[in-house]
């Protein structure tokens, strides 16, 4: 029978630093020891943002800012492309607007 996905628990990572036998802790938590090491590595790299939840990415504040700016750029490029097409479709109407 397939087991469900293991959900990160910050207490598990904290316990892994307090305990000397990580393999034993992993068995107690019913997770693979490699998973516990991965959680520790992620916690060291991202801190409290290590496991933000389903569908969310682990990102540093700088990465979040870059992601937001890239999204705004894509939106601006899409708007520009739409306006270019509109000008190509309605060139006469654009000339009339500029005259008035």
């Amino acid at each position: 029978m397939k087991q469900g996905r293991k959900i990160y628990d910050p207490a598990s990572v904290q316990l892994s630093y307090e305990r000397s036998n990580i393999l034993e802790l992993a068995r107690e938590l019913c997770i693979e020891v490699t998973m516990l090491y991965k959680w520790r590595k992620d916690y060291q790299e991202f801190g409290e943002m290590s496991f933000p939840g389903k569908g969310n990415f682990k990102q540093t504040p700088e990465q979040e800012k870059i992601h937001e700016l890239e999204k705004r750029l894509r939106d601006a490029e899409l708007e520009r492309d739409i306006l270019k097409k509109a000008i190509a479709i309605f060139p006469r109407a654009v000339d009339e607007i500029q005259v008035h």
Side-chain angles (χ1 to χ4, degrees):
M1 186 163 108
K2 185 177 179 182
Q3 290 184 343
R5 189 173 185 164
K6 298 298 179 187
I7 298 174
Y8 166 77
D9 178 15
S12 302
V13 174
Q14 186 61 35
L15 278 173
S16 74
Y17 287 112
E18 295 171 1
R19 298 265 189 101
S20 60
N21 190 340
I22 294 178
L23 179 60
E24 182 180 307
L25 175 63
R27 286 184 186 146
E28 289 173 18
L29 297 172
C30 299
I31 60 172
E32 296 291 325
V33 71
T34 54
M35 179 64 66
L36 192 51
Y37 278 115
K38 180 187 179 315
W39 288 352
R40 285 174 59 152
K41 179 182 173 212
D42 287 347
Y43 185 79
Q44 287 176 349
E45 185 174 346
F46 297 102
E48 295 297 322
M49 299 179 343
S50 296
F51 302 91
K54 295 180 181 178
N56 297 320
F57 298 108
K58 294 179 272 193
Q59 295 180 333
T60 63
E62 294 83 16
Q63 290 171 325
E64 287 177 7
K65 183 68 173 177
I66 290 169
H67 180 73
E68 175 63 27
L69 291 173
E70 287 173 343
K71 181 183 181 304
R72 289 173 60 188
L73 176 60
R74 282 191 307 273
D75 291 345
E77 288 173 340
L78 178 61
E79 184 177 331
R80 179 205 61 205
D81 293 343
I82 291 170
L83 291 172
K84 278 184 177 181
K85 289 178 183 178
I87 289 171
I89 294 170
F90 304 107
R92 190 169 150 198
V94 171
D95 290 338
E96 289 175 9
I97 293 172
Q98 290 176 352
V99 172
H100 294 291

